[in-house]
Amino acid sequence: MINVTIDGIKTSVHRDTSVLDAAKQCDITIPTLCHHPKLTPYGGCRLCIVEIKGINRPVTACTTPVSEGMEVTTSSPVLEKLRRTTLELILSDHPNDCMVCEKAGDCTLQELAYFYGIKENRFAGERRVYEKRDGNPLIERDMEKCILCNKCVRVCDEVQGVSAIDIAYRGFRSKVCPPYERDLDCEFCGQCIRVCPTGALTGRMWSLKGRQKDIREVDTICPYCGCGCNITLDIRKNEIVRVTSKEDTINEGWLCSKGTFGYKFLNDPARLTKPLIKYKGKFRESTWEEALGLVAKKLLKTKEKHGPDSIAGLASARCTSEENYLFQKFMRAVIKTNNVDHCARL
Amino acid sequence: MKTNKLEIMVCMGTGGIAAGGTEVLSAFESAIKKLKIPAKLKKGCSVHKVGCRGLCARDVLVDIIIKEKKSTYQYIKPDMVQRIVDEHIVGNQPVADWLATEDYHNFHEKQVKVVLSDCGNINPESIDAYFAVNGYEAAKKVLTLMSRQDVIEEIKRSGLRGRGGAGFPTGVKWEICGGVKNAQKYIICNADEGDPGAFMDRAIIEGNPHSVIEGMIIGAYAIGAGKGYVYIRAEYPLAVERLRKALEDAGKKNLLGKKILKTGFSFDIKVKLGAGAFVCGEETALIVSIEGQRGMPRAKPPFPVHSGLWGKPTVINNVETLANIPHIIRKGPDWFASFGTEKSRGTKVFALTGKVKNTGLIEVPMGISLKEIIYDIGGGMDKGRDFKAVQTGGPSGGCITADLLDINVDYESLAKVGSIVGSGGMVVLDDTDCMVSIARFFLEFTQVESCGKCVPCRIGTKRLLEILDRITAGKGKEGDIELLEELGKDIKASSLCGLGQTAPNPVLSTIKYFRPEYEAHIRDMKCPAAVCKELIEFTILEELCKGCGACVRACPANAIKGEKKKPHTLSSELCVKCGSCFDVCKFGAVKKE
């Protein structure tokens, strides 16, 4: 353990802890826009700068590991002035359209601008303007709102292993984009949306459906595969507006494209809500009792007439392990056949 | 050194080739061939290329050595070759008209050449030529007679500091990396020279590539590295070509590869081309660039000596630093330390440019005064104009004014007055240079070259540039100077890497020394040096105008009217302020203010 003092609070933390995390353990919040606990520290936004006794210039808390006896100051007139300048600079190159932004109310940049009370901007000047809209169907990419925190690039590379985007160009023209600025053509896992601190990345499907303050959260499990990711349904007016996931869950807040974007069928008028039975070549609506009764009757009949091995069962990868366990038990103990398999083997 | 009876050396650095060096060389070759020299004498004749000798403005430069007597010709063109051969080589009578003038020799006289000692004297494409000047003797000595610690001690004792800009003691860097336990270490030569107007490293590699390779071998041995990289910018094709040739030749002679010179030490060097990003000269950006990622700096620590290329301990040295190493080993640390000042030992190569008579590449002992550089080596101010300032250290540096001309050029003294030695850029400015425009020029460069990673550098330098833009365009506001200062200081304090931390220096230092000039732009709407187009006006002085019509013909906007032999008039509405009339008027009748 390493002993450090942060804003006068003495604490001891594990070796390799960053100053930012050590401060968090002391309940001290240091502002940051580019840091994500599960991604490699970046040190790009320069908001988490702190003063360390013995070092003659401010250093970023996210990239600096603690060392024995370190004395850290997280807030001082000098630091706050520098943070203010940095924020002003970011805002000078950001559309001032919070009133119509999807992310308003849930935007780290907006929150920081509020707490630092930035009304006037000394550095008003040219702003990046991009005419081209990304043609992909799922992710709205408004690069004018991008603050180049690099979180999307890192999550795509480090968590998803896809590397669909990176920073192109240099200096003020720097821009996060797919190769050759083509339309995004990736897995569409949506992880980038989840980590974006501003309104630069949002889901097309939830555009104008309601901001964070308008929604009710319902925690549930993703129905798509056996992984059982924890998801949170953001609901407004009894309709799912979007799907998110919390970080303190089994899937650590990460989801795939189905979990993130595959909810539209829920409110689709063509969605099946009752079992159907085919009678004389036509489907008719039925009840679960009738439908399951029919299946049981037919299975028993076939078993009696042709023997248990005339029946085979094929299970789905979308079922949980428990469901698949029950399914094979059913085939073996009830039907009495070993003819059971799983779609993942096909 | 073997002396030839006849040696013709043609300057073929990039400057020499651009001036026609290749053609001059082949003209000499064919002229000598025609002479029908007897075979037994031919051995003593040599016509070959050499690297840059500094004064590129006089290219093509040709040295002719007959029986150890050297004559230097300047501005040589292929059609002049035959006469030189006939009169000088055959007739033993140098062509006096074409010989280099006295100031050429003055330019060289006050210089002390260590790393450039063989540039311009040996054929850079011949390893034998390098052997002939004791090349690879130092490497041999190190590998066969010295321990790793001995080498580090020698370099530490020499006082050599990194020539890339930061001036970190080289021996200490090697010692730290040498002390890190790891089976795989790297040494990287940083040849990503990017400061505008700086070409020290290019000239060294073009003129004597083996000296850099030898320095790398010695460094690799000292720290225990098995692999080296030269990270060189692709915009230096000739340097890359000569470096590759040198590496190949060194490999053939077993100076690189497995079990070098039959010792137990193995070491090899790869060349990695930079893709044109200035920021890749920053060591952490350079490392990730070699690894195949976008060149963006990262926070230090960890320092490369602990975790560098592929996470392994890595030493990164600049070209000039490495080229000093063989000399230190061969002639001893005390010899090296005898040049320079107490804290800045040895010599430093500078690219002297701007408004001096002799511009070019110079090597001077540390501690020499600025005055000596500008007036003795540089030959004084060009066109007899007044000295205004000298800008050192390129886009990371600052200005030094006339009253500070006596200061010593070394790391500490320049830092004290708000500038830096940097990688060695030195731009001399006269009274026709606008300091706001100079600051703007450097900011334009750093702003475009910022990697975009951190906010203060990416957006901050852009805003600095915008403010400078409006000041030079006559749209400056009260408070702009203060805003520049405030923002500049904040960018310096909060940027991630050296680029951002130094980018505001040209602005801050020009404000410090030339504040009235900034104020004149804003308050009086005047550019005192008459450079900023929006703030100058051209008028024709009636009493001086002879009505010759030269300005009328030169004006692209038909802004000047007037009858022959009568004073002309200039319409300020039509004038596009190109300055053509000012340049052509022989009577000083066009006023610019």
Side-chain angles (χ1 to χ4, degrees):
Chain A
M1 299 294 275
I2 308 278
N3 298 305
V4 290
T5 310
I6 304 175
D7 291 345
I9 302 169
K10 284 193 168 61
T11 183
S12 63
V13 294
H14 284 289
R15 189 176 290 282
D16 297 332
T17 307
S18 71
V19 172
L20 189 74
D21 288 338
K24 203 181 260 172
Q25 287 174 30
C26 302
D27 269 340
I28 296 167
T29 311
I30 302 174
T32 171
L33 279 166
C34 70
H35 186 70
H36 189 287
K38 297 203 178 79
L39 302 175
T40 317
Y42 189 61
C45 75
R46 315 307 289 172
L47 287 173
C48 72
I49 45 170
V50 293
E51 286 162 0
I52 292 173
K53 202 173 173 186
I55 299 180
N56 61 3
R57 54 177 302 123
V59 295
T60 39
C62 65
T63 57
T64 309
V66 291
S67 60
E68 184 57 41
M70 190 182 256
E71 287 179 40
V72 183
T73 307
T74 69
S75 182
S76 72
V78 174
L79 290 174
E80 296 304 340
K81 179 180 171 285
L82 290 174
R83 283 182 188 143
R84 206 189 150 80
T85 298
T86 302
L87 267 176
E88 256 183 275
L89 286 171
I90 297 174
L91 291 165
S92 73
D93 184 31
H94 192 85
N96 196 1
D97 66 355
C98 297
M99 54 288 275
V100 289
C101 182
E102 278 295 319
K103 197 80 173 181
D106 187 31
C107 168
T108 322
L109 180 61
Q110 190 187 40
E111 192 179 290
L112 286 169
Y114 167 77
F115 281 115
Y116 279 84
I118 296 170
K119 287 181 188 165
E120 305 285 312
N121 199 318
R122 290 172 292 165
F123 311 120
E126 187 192 331
R127 206 165 58 67
R128 290 165 299 154
V129 176
Y130 300 121
E131 308 239 314
K132 182 182 177 289
R133 265 172 67 98
D134 198 296
N136 82 78
L138 295 170
I139 301 176
E140 182 71 48
R141 301 177 64 245
D142 185 348
M143 288 299 106
E144 291 182 21
K145 290 180 183 167
C146 173
I147 57 162
L148 286 135
C149 71
N150 197 253
K151 278 188 198 171
C152 54
V153 175
R154 279 176 287 155
V155 79
C156 193
D157 175 32
E158 295 170 16
V159 176
Q160 206 64 18
V162 170
S163 303
I165 43 174
D166 206 337
I167 299 177
Y169 305 112
R170 289 200 283 264
F172 190 70
R173 293 179 64 222
S174 302
K175 181 185 184 186
V176 175
C177 58
Y180 308 105
E181 292 197 71
R182 287 195 284 247
D183 287 346
L184 189 62
D185 182 18
C186 62
E187 291 185 355
F188 293 108
C189 61
Q191 310 280 47
C192 51
I193 300 178
R194 256 180 288 286
V195 295
C196 182
T198 71
L201 298 172
T202 51
R204 291 233 154 114
M205 288 159 67
W206 55 83
S207 166
L208 306 177
K209 291 265 171 79
R211 288 161 165 168
Q212 204 61 23
K213 68 168 178 48
D214 304 319
I215 57 104
R216 177 167 59 92
E217 291 184 348
V218 175
D219 292 337
T220 180
I221 305 292
C222 175
Y224 271 102
C225 76
C227 286
C229 288
N230 287 239
I231 56 173
T232 301
L233 306 176
D234 287 0
I235 293 170
R236 181 173 173 257
K237 290 186 178 169
N238 210 30
E239 189 191 333
I240 296 178
V241 167
R242 67 184 147 256
V243 178
T244 60
S245 182
K246 290 173 180 161
E247 277 172 28
D248 56 350
T249 54
I250 186 89
N251 47 301
E252 302 185 350
W254 308 129
L255 291 178
C256 73
S257 63
K258 291 191 218 169
T260 309
F261 298 112
Y263 61 85
K264 239 187 164 174
F265 67 93
L266 273 166
N267 296 319
D268 196 295
R271 181 186 165 194
L272 293 180
T273 50
K274 285 176 185 156
L276 304 178
I277 293 175
K278 204 178 215 177
Y279 185 71
K280 287 185 179 169
K282 274 193 174 170
F283 282 115
R284 68 166 170 84
E285 278 194 3
S286 167
T287 61
W288 282 110
E289 284 77 18
E290 190 194 359
L292 288 173
L294 183 67
V295 172
K297 206 170 89 187
K298 292 221 166 175
L299 279 174
L300 274 173
K301 213 170 150 188
T302 311
K303 189 181 161 192
E304 269 167 30
K305 202 171 171 189
H306 301 287
D309 281 344
S310 64
I311 301 170
L314 189 65
S316 164
R318 278 177 57 178
C319 300
T320 62
S321 299
E322 292 83 351
E323 287 162 341
N324 274 322
Y325 173 80
L326 283 175
F327 183 72
Q328 65 84 30
K329 196 81 181 170
F330 169 78
M331 291 304 289
R332 290 193 169 106
V334 180
I335 307 284
K336 296 195 190 306
T337 178
N338 285 325
N339 293 344
V340 58
D341 214 330
H342 183 276
C343 71
R345 291 202 334 132
L346 292 178
Chain B
M1 186 180 159
K2 189 179 72 186
T3 49
N4 285 316
K5 288 197 177 92
L6 168 65
E7 198 174 358
I8 300 172
M9 306 195 288
V10 181
C11 178
M12 279 176 67
T14 294
I17 291 175
T22 316
E23 292 76 21
V24 171
L25 179 70
S26 59
F28 269 110
E29 279 168 347
S30 58
I32 295 293
K33 217 178 199 174
K34 273 192 245 158
L35 287 181
K36 295 203 178 77
I37 300 168
K40 62 173 183 178
L41 286 178
K42 242 184 195 167
K43 270 190 187 164
C45 294
S46 156
V47 183
H48 62 83
K49 57 179 85 169
V50 292
C52 180
R53 65 271 297 280
L55 207 57
C56 302
R58 306 276 171 98
D59 270 325
V60 178
L61 286 157
V62 177
D63 283 336
I64 294 184
I65 305 173
I66 300 175
K67 290 176 188 156
E68 290 179 48
K69 191 176 175 303
K70 181 162 138 183
S71 314
T72 305
Y73 288 98
Q74 61 185 15
Y75 303 119
I76 297 306
K77 300 261 170 285
D79 55 10
M80 298 156 84
V81 168
Q82 194 58 51
R83 186 173 155 199
I84 296 174
V85 171
D86 291 344
E87 293 182 21
H88 188 163
I89 294 169
V90 180
N92 210 10
Q93 194 60 49
V95 186
D97 293 348
W98 298 342
L99 283 175
T101 42
E102 195 189 341
D103 52 350
Y104 173 87
H105 300 288
N106 291 343
F107 176 80
H108 291 283
E109 206 162 88
K110 269 221 171 164
Q111 295 190 43
V112 175
K113 298 206 174 186
V114 175
V115 295
L116 295 181
S117 57
D118 297 319
C119 289
N121 283 325
I122 62 168
N123 183 348
E125 290 172 17
S126 156
I127 193 167
D128 291 325
Y130 187 59
F131 284 141
V133 291
N134 303 320
Y136 290 109
E137 289 294 323
K140 204 178 281 176
K141 179 179 165 191
V142 163
L143 295 186
T144 53
L145 299 171
M146 293 171 77
S147 72
R148 287 172 51 186
Q149 198 49 45
D150 287 344
V151 180
I152 289 170
E153 281 308 320
E154 295 258 293
I155 302 304
K156 271 172 74 181
R157 245 182 18 156
S158 75
L160 175 66
R161 292 168 65 175
R163 298 297 194 239
F168 191 82
T170 307
V172 176
K173 197 189 259 186
W174 287 11
E175 189 171 43
I176 299 169
C177 192
V180 181
K181 285 208 169 71
N182 202 314
Q184 179 71 62
K185 293 183 196 173
Y186 294 98
I187 184 164
I188 299 174
C189 168
N190 184 350
D192 193 50
E193 185 173 50
D195 284 6
F199 52 101
M200 294 75 61
D201 298 346
R202 193 196 74 205
I204 294 168
I205 295 179
E206 283 178 3
N208 193 0
H210 286 286
S211 65
V212 182
I213 297 172
E214 190 176 7
M216 284 182 80
I217 296 171
I218 296 167
Y221 175 77
I223 63 165
K227 209 162 202 181
Y229 282 86
V230 180
Y231 188 91
I232 182 166
R233 56 191 306 208
E235 296 93 327
Y236 282 177
L238 182 65
V240 173
E241 188 190 311
R242 287 187 179 158
L243 180 68
R244 285 202 166 127
K245 167 93 168 65
L247 287 171
E248 199 187 311
D249 291 348
K252 280 184 196 151
K253 300 271 183 192
N254 189 222
L255 290 157
L256 288 172
K258 291 211 171 96
K259 301 208 160 114
I260 295 176
L261 300 172
K262 293 182 185 139
T263 63
F265 179 66
S266 300
F267 174 65
D268 220 339
I269 299 176
K270 268 190 171 178
V271 176
K272 173 85 189 170
L273 297 191
F278 174 67
V279 74
C280 286
E282 198 281 340
E283 56 183 8
T284 58
L286 188 152
I287 285 171
V288 293
S289 176
I290 293 181
E291 289 172 354
Q293 300 172 52
R294 177 182 164 90
M296 291 203 291
R298 62 157 174 79
K300 293 184 276 191
F303 290 93
V305 283
H306 293 112
S307 173
L309 186 60
W310 318 112
K312 305 290 181 191
T314 304
V315 155
I316 302 184
N317 286 137
N318 161 268
V319 172
E320 192 185 334
T321 314
L322 288 166
N324 268 304
I325 302 290
H327 294 278
I328 294 171
I329 297 291
R330 255 190 343 247
K331 297 170 197 160
D334 297 327
W335 165 83
F336 183 82
S338 69
F339 303 109
T341 59
E342 198 195 332
K343 284 184 175 168
S344 306
R345 302 286 188 189
T347 59
K348 174 81 192 88
V349 183
F350 288 96
L352 181 65
T353 54
K355 307 289 176 61
V356 278
K357 282 201 181 101
N358 305 323
T359 58
L361 204 67
I362 59 166
E363 183 171 357
V364 289
M366 286 277 193
I368 191 174
S369 76
L370 258 181
K371 204 180 231 164
E372 284 172 281
I373 292 182
I374 294 166
Y375 289 95
D376 297 344
I377 298 172
M381 299 302 292
D382 197 23
K383 294 177 186 160
R385 290 207 160 270
D386 288 339
F387 173 87
K388 186 170 188 178
V390 56
Q391 210 279 350
T392 68
S396 314
C399 286
I400 299 164
T401 47
D403 50 331
L404 295 167
L405 265 181
D406 286 320
I407 65 160
N408 298 337
V409 176
D410 60 58
Y411 293 108
E412 278 71 29
S413 308
L414 291 198
K416 216 184 273 172
V417 297
S419 191
I420 56 167
V421 170
S423 63
M426 199 174 260
V427 188
V428 180
L429 308 169
D430 68 16
D431 53 356
T432 62
D433 287 306
C434 164
M435 299 316 281
V436 189
S437 300
I438 295 287
R440 202 196 146 275
F441 166 79
F442 283 114
L443 247 294
E444 199 172 21
F445 177 80
T446 37
Q447 189 268 131
V448 170
E449 290 297 343
S450 160
C451 79
K453 180 171 179 174
C454 79
V455 176
C457 182
R458 181 181 76 241
I459 311 176
T461 56
K462 168 81 178 167
R463 299 298 176 234
L464 283 181
L465 179 65
E466 283 173 347
I467 300 169
L468 291 169
D469 271 342
R470 68 172 179 247
I471 294 176
T472 52
K475 291 173 186 154
K477 293 182 286 202
E478 271 311 315
D480 272 353
I481 302 175
E482 291 72 20
L483 191 58
L484 282 173
E485 285 179 312
E486 206 170 319
L487 178 56
K489 280 176 195 157
D490 287 356
I491 294 171
K492 275 170 72 91
S494 56
S495 284
L496 170 67
C497 82
L499 198 163
Q501 286 163 15
T502 59
N505 284 354
V507 184
L508 296 176
S509 121
T510 47
I511 292 179
K512 184 177 169 191
Y513 293 113
F514 298 95
R515 200 182 187 100
E517 204 167 324
Y518 276 81
E519 286 166 350
H521 280 75
I522 298 170
R523 290 184 195 154
D524 313 331
M525 304 284 278
K526 287 260 184 282
C527 173
V531 171
C532 300
K533 258 191 175 183
E534 310 290 332
L535 299 175
I536 52 174
E537 205 151 333
F538 290 90
T539 41
I540 293 175
L541 301 169
E542 212 175 299
E543 62 275 21
L544 292 176
C545 181
K546 306 270 188 259
C548 71
C551 55
V552 180
R553 288 188 291 277
C555 180
N558 291 327
I560 304 173
K561 300 254 175 326
E563 281 175 47
K564 264 208 157 172
K565 293 188 179 169
K566 280 188 184 159
H568 293 352
T569 51
L570 190 153
S571 154
S572 57
E573 273 165 34
L574 293 174
C575 177
V576 293
K577 295 170 186 176
C578 67
S580 301
C581 52
F582 182 83
D583 293 337
V584 296
C585 182
K586 288 179 193 156
F587 311 103
V590 179
K591 201 171 124 195
K592 177 167 87 168
E593 64 170 11

